[in-house]
Short mmCIF file of all heavy atoms in Angstrom, two decimals:
data_model
loop_
_atom_site.label_atom_id
_atom_site.label_comp_id
_atom_site.label_asym_id
_atom_site.label_seq_id
_atom_site.Cartn_x
_atom_site.Cartn_y
_atom_site.Cartn_z
N THR J 833 184.81 190.94 70.84
CA THR J 833 186.26 190.86 71.21
C THR J 833 186.57 192.13 71.99
O THR J 833 186.60 193.23 71.41
CB THR J 833 187.12 190.76 69.97
OG1 THR J 833 186.81 189.55 69.24
CG2 THR J 833 188.58 190.72 70.37
N LEU J 834 186.69 191.95 73.28
CA LEU J 834 186.90 193.14 74.20
C LEU J 834 188.34 193.61 74.13
O LEU J 834 189.26 192.89 74.48
CB LEU J 834 186.52 192.79 75.59
CG LEU J 834 185.06 192.99 76.02
CD1 LEU J 834 184.66 194.46 75.95
CD2 LEU J 834 184.10 192.15 75.19
N SER J 835 188.49 194.89 73.70
CA SER J 835 189.79 195.54 73.55
C SER J 835 189.71 196.88 74.18
O SER J 835 188.62 197.33 74.64
CB SER J 835 190.19 195.59 72.09
OG SER J 835 189.38 196.54 71.40
N LEU J 836 190.79 197.59 74.21
CA LEU J 836 190.74 198.96 74.72
C LEU J 836 189.83 199.86 73.87
O LEU J 836 189.37 200.87 74.33
CB LEU J 836 192.15 199.55 74.84
CG LEU J 836 193.03 199.73 73.59
CD1 LEU J 836 192.69 201.00 72.83
CD2 LEU J 836 194.53 199.80 74.01
N MET J 837 189.62 199.42 72.61
CA MET J 837 188.79 200.26 71.71
C MET J 837 187.31 200.26 72.15
O MET J 837 186.68 201.29 72.13
CB MET J 837 188.90 199.76 70.29
CG MET J 837 190.25 199.94 69.64
SD MET J 837 190.33 199.38 67.91
CE MET J 837 190.39 197.59 68.11
N ASN J 838 186.78 199.12 72.53
CA ASN J 838 185.33 199.02 72.75
C ASN J 838 184.91 198.73 74.16
O ASN J 838 183.70 198.53 74.45
CB ASN J 838 184.73 197.97 71.80
CG ASN J 838 185.26 196.57 72.08
OD1 ASN J 838 186.29 196.36 72.70
ND2 ASN J 838 184.50 195.58 71.62
N VAL J 839 185.84 198.56 75.10
CA VAL J 839 185.51 198.14 76.43
C VAL J 839 184.50 199.07 77.11
O VAL J 839 183.67 198.65 77.94
CB VAL J 839 186.74 197.96 77.30
CG1 VAL J 839 187.47 199.30 77.55
CG2 VAL J 839 186.39 197.29 78.61
N GLN J 840 184.53 200.38 76.77
CA GLN J 840 183.59 201.29 77.37
C GLN J 840 182.21 201.28 76.70
O GLN J 840 181.19 201.71 77.28
CB GLN J 840 184.12 202.75 77.29
CG GLN J 840 185.38 202.95 78.12
CD GLN J 840 185.92 204.37 78.03
OE1 GLN J 840 185.31 205.30 78.58
NE2 GLN J 840 186.98 204.54 77.27
N HIS J 841 182.15 200.77 75.50
CA HIS J 841 180.91 200.82 74.68
C HIS J 841 180.09 199.57 74.81
O HIS J 841 178.86 199.64 74.72
CB HIS J 841 181.28 201.11 73.22
CG HIS J 841 180.10 201.12 72.33
ND1 HIS J 841 179.18 202.15 72.36
CD2 HIS J 841 179.68 200.30 71.36
CE1 HIS J 841 178.24 201.94 71.45
NE2 HIS J 841 178.55 200.82 70.81
N VAL J 842 180.72 198.44 74.99
CA VAL J 842 179.98 197.15 74.96
C VAL J 842 178.85 197.04 75.97
O VAL J 842 177.80 196.58 75.66
CB VAL J 842 180.95 195.98 75.11
CG1 VAL J 842 180.26 194.67 75.46
CG2 VAL J 842 181.79 195.78 73.78
N PRO J 843 179.03 197.53 77.22
CA PRO J 843 177.91 197.46 78.14
C PRO J 843 176.64 198.19 77.64
O PRO J 843 175.52 197.66 77.80
CB PRO J 843 178.46 198.13 79.44
CG PRO J 843 179.91 197.91 79.37
CD PRO J 843 180.27 198.04 77.91
N ASN J 844 176.79 199.34 77.04
CA ASN J 844 175.66 200.08 76.53
C ASN J 844 175.05 199.32 75.32
O ASN J 844 173.81 199.27 75.17
CB ASN J 844 176.05 201.46 76.13
CG ASN J 844 176.37 202.39 77.30
OD1 ASN J 844 175.85 202.17 78.40
ND2 ASN J 844 177.21 203.33 77.08
N PHE J 845 175.89 198.77 74.46
CA PHE J 845 175.45 198.02 73.31
C PHE J 845 174.68 196.79 73.78
O PHE J 845 173.59 196.47 73.29
CB PHE J 845 176.65 197.62 72.46
CG PHE J 845 176.42 196.56 71.44
CD1 PHE J 845 175.28 196.50 70.70
CD2 PHE J 845 177.38 195.59 71.25
CE1 PHE J 845 175.08 195.51 69.73
CE2 PHE J 845 177.20 194.59 70.28
CZ PHE J 845 176.05 194.51 69.58
N HIS J 846 175.24 196.09 74.79
CA HIS J 846 174.58 194.90 75.35
C HIS J 846 173.19 195.26 75.87
O HIS J 846 172.19 194.59 75.56
CB HIS J 846 175.49 194.32 76.47
CG HIS J 846 175.01 193.04 77.06
ND1 HIS J 846 175.37 192.65 78.34
CD2 HIS J 846 174.20 192.07 76.60
CE1 HIS J 846 174.84 191.51 78.60
NE2 HIS J 846 174.11 191.13 77.57
N ARG J 847 173.12 196.27 76.70
CA ARG J 847 171.86 196.69 77.29
C ARG J 847 170.80 197.10 76.20
O ARG J 847 169.61 196.76 76.32
CB ARG J 847 172.10 197.82 78.26
CG ARG J 847 170.85 198.20 79.07
CD ARG J 847 171.21 199.03 80.24
NE ARG J 847 170.08 199.45 81.05
CZ ARG J 847 170.15 199.91 82.30
NH1 ARG J 847 171.37 200.06 82.85
NH2 ARG J 847 169.08 200.25 82.97
N ASP J 848 171.29 197.81 75.20
CA ASP J 848 170.39 198.28 74.15
C ASP J 848 169.69 197.14 73.43
O ASP J 848 168.49 197.10 73.19
CB ASP J 848 171.19 199.18 73.16
CG ASP J 848 170.34 199.63 72.01
OD1 ASP J 848 169.33 200.30 72.21
OD2 ASP J 848 170.68 199.28 70.82
N TRP J 849 170.52 196.08 73.07
CA TRP J 849 169.92 194.96 72.33
C TRP J 849 168.97 194.15 73.25
O TRP J 849 168.01 193.56 72.73
CB TRP J 849 171.05 194.07 71.78
CG TRP J 849 171.37 194.49 70.39
CD1 TRP J 849 171.43 195.78 69.89
CD2 TRP J 849 171.65 193.65 69.25
NE1 TRP J 849 171.74 195.77 68.54
CE2 TRP J 849 171.89 194.49 68.14
CE3 TRP J 849 171.74 192.27 69.09
CZ2 TRP J 849 172.20 193.97 66.87
CZ3 TRP J 849 172.02 191.76 67.83
CH2 TRP J 849 172.26 192.61 66.73
N ILE J 850 169.27 194.08 74.53
CA ILE J 850 168.39 193.39 75.46
C ILE J 850 167.05 194.12 75.50
O ILE J 850 165.98 193.50 75.38
CB ILE J 850 168.98 193.31 76.84
CG1 ILE J 850 170.22 192.36 76.88
CG2 ILE J 850 167.94 192.82 77.87
CD1 ILE J 850 171.03 192.45 78.13
N GLU J 851 167.09 195.41 75.64
CA GLU J 851 165.89 196.23 75.76
C GLU J 851 165.07 196.25 74.45
O GLU J 851 163.83 196.40 74.51
CB GLU J 851 166.22 197.64 76.20
CG GLU J 851 166.79 197.71 77.64
CD GLU J 851 167.30 199.08 78.01
OE1 GLU J 851 167.44 199.92 77.13
OE2 GLU J 851 167.46 199.27 79.23
N ARG J 852 165.74 196.04 73.30
CA ARG J 852 165.02 195.99 72.01
C ARG J 852 164.53 194.58 71.70
O ARG J 852 163.91 194.40 70.65
CB ARG J 852 165.96 196.50 70.94
CG ARG J 852 166.25 198.02 71.05
CD ARG J 852 167.36 198.39 70.08
NE ARG J 852 167.01 198.17 68.71
CZ ARG J 852 167.84 198.34 67.65
NH1 ARG J 852 169.07 198.74 67.90
NH2 ARG J 852 167.43 198.11 66.43
N GLY J 853 164.76 193.62 72.54
CA GLY J 853 164.30 192.26 72.30
C GLY J 853 165.12 191.48 71.29
O GLY J 853 164.69 190.43 70.87
N LEU J 854 166.33 191.98 70.97
CA LEU J 854 167.19 191.24 70.03
C LEU J 854 168.11 190.28 70.71
O LEU J 854 168.76 189.48 69.99
CB LEU J 854 168.02 192.31 69.23
CG LEU J 854 167.26 193.35 68.39
CD1 LEU J 854 168.14 194.38 67.79
CD2 LEU J 854 166.40 192.60 67.31
N LEU J 855 168.18 190.31 72.01
CA LEU J 855 169.15 189.46 72.73
C LEU J 855 168.60 189.20 74.14
O LEU J 855 168.02 190.06 74.73
CB LEU J 855 170.52 190.21 72.82
CG LEU J 855 171.73 189.45 73.23
CD1 LEU J 855 172.14 188.47 72.09
CD2 LEU J 855 172.89 190.36 73.51
N LYS J 856 168.87 188.02 74.61
CA LYS J 856 168.57 187.67 76.04
C LYS J 856 169.73 188.13 76.89
O LYS J 856 170.89 188.12 76.41
CB LYS J 856 168.30 186.17 76.17
CG LYS J 856 167.07 185.67 75.43
CD LYS J 856 166.97 184.14 75.54
CE LYS J 856 165.79 183.68 74.77
NZ LYS J 856 165.69 182.18 74.76
N PRO J 857 169.49 188.48 78.10
CA PRO J 857 170.58 189.04 78.98
C PRO J 857 171.79 188.15 79.07
O PRO J 857 172.92 188.65 79.07
CB PRO J 857 169.90 189.20 80.36
CG PRO J 857 168.45 189.40 80.05
CD PRO J 857 168.16 188.51 78.81
N GLN J 858 171.57 186.81 79.16
CA GLN J 858 172.71 185.89 79.32
C GLN J 858 173.49 185.65 78.07
O GLN J 858 174.57 185.06 78.07
CB GLN J 858 172.24 184.59 79.90
CG GLN J 858 171.38 183.76 78.93
CD GLN J 858 169.91 184.04 79.04
OE1 GLN J 858 169.49 185.05 79.54
NE2 GLN J 858 169.09 183.11 78.53
N ASP J 859 172.96 186.10 76.90
CA ASP J 859 173.52 185.75 75.62
C ASP J 859 174.63 186.65 75.14
O ASP J 859 174.58 187.23 74.04
CB ASP J 859 172.44 185.57 74.58
CG ASP J 859 171.61 184.38 74.85
OD1 ASP J 859 172.06 183.46 75.57
OD2 ASP J 859 170.43 184.31 74.33
N LEU J 860 175.69 186.79 75.96
CA LEU J 860 176.87 187.52 75.55
C LEU J 860 178.03 186.72 76.08
O LEU J 860 178.10 186.37 77.27
CB LEU J 860 176.88 188.94 76.10
CG LEU J 860 178.14 189.81 75.69
CD1 LEU J 860 177.73 191.23 75.44
CD2 LEU J 860 179.20 189.73 76.80
N ASN J 861 179.01 186.42 75.23
CA ASN J 861 180.23 185.78 75.59
C ASN J 861 181.38 186.71 75.54
O ASN J 861 181.73 187.29 74.49
CB ASN J 861 180.46 184.60 74.61
CG ASN J 861 181.79 183.86 74.96
OD1 ASN J 861 182.00 183.42 76.04
ND2 ASN J 861 182.69 183.81 73.93
N VAL J 862 181.92 187.03 76.71
CA VAL J 862 183.09 187.96 76.79
C VAL J 862 184.36 187.28 76.28
O VAL J 862 184.83 186.31 76.83
CB VAL J 862 183.29 188.43 78.22
CG1 VAL J 862 184.59 189.26 78.32
CG2 VAL J 862 182.12 189.27 78.67
N ASN J 863 184.85 187.80 75.13
CA ASN J 863 186.08 187.26 74.55
C ASN J 863 187.16 188.38 74.66
O ASN J 863 187.11 189.37 73.93
CB ASN J 863 185.83 186.90 73.07
CG ASN J 863 187.07 186.50 72.36
OD1 ASN J 863 187.98 185.83 72.92
ND2 ASN J 863 187.19 186.87 71.09
N VAL J 864 188.06 188.20 75.61
CA VAL J 864 189.05 189.26 75.84
C VAL J 864 190.20 189.11 74.85
O VAL J 864 190.85 188.08 74.77
CB VAL J 864 189.59 189.16 77.29
CG1 VAL J 864 190.67 190.19 77.53
CG2 VAL J 864 188.45 189.32 78.27
N LEU J 865 190.46 190.15 74.14
CA LEU J 865 191.52 190.16 73.13
C LEU J 865 192.89 190.02 73.86
O LEU J 865 193.13 190.68 74.87
CB LEU J 865 191.49 191.46 72.34
CG LEU J 865 192.59 191.60 71.24
CD1 LEU J 865 191.99 192.35 70.04
CD2 LEU J 865 193.77 192.37 71.77
N GLN J 866 193.75 189.16 73.33
CA GLN J 866 195.06 188.91 73.93
C GLN J 866 196.19 189.34 72.92
O GLN J 866 197.30 189.62 73.34
CB GLN J 866 195.23 187.49 74.34
CG GLN J 866 194.30 187.14 75.55
CD GLN J 866 194.43 185.69 75.97
OE1 GLN J 866 194.35 184.77 75.14
NE2 GLN J 866 194.59 185.42 77.22
N SER J 867 195.84 189.38 71.63
CA SER J 867 196.83 189.73 70.64
C SER J 867 196.11 190.36 69.45
O SER J 867 194.98 189.94 69.11
CB SER J 867 197.59 188.47 70.17
OG SER J 867 198.52 188.77 69.15
N PRO J 868 196.68 191.43 68.86
CA PRO J 868 197.96 192.11 69.17
C PRO J 868 197.93 192.83 70.55
O PRO J 868 196.88 193.36 70.98
CB PRO J 868 198.11 193.18 68.04
CG PRO J 868 197.16 192.68 67.00
CD PRO J 868 196.03 192.05 67.70
#
């Protein structure tokens, strides 16, 4: 859930799991927080 809290961190998290073989590059669904 992309919010102002984690928007800067998620790209690094995404890349780390890809490089560790825990995730395929395409396997991330961007869910933009709308509320609160």
Side-chain angles (χ1 to χ4, degrees):
T833 299
L834 271 296
S835 69
L836 63 80
M837 292 182 284
N838 64 339
V839 66
Q840 296 180 74
H841 179 68
V842 165
N844 291 333
F845 165 41
H846 185 203
R847 185 165 182 164
D848 177 59
W849 267 40
I850 293 170
E851 292 175 345
R852 293 169 61 186
L854 299 175
L855 195 70
K856 296 176 182 176
Q858 69 270 17
D859 288 340
L860 181 142
N861 178 56
V862 173
N863 175 34
V864 179
L865 180 144
Q866 294 179 309
S867 179

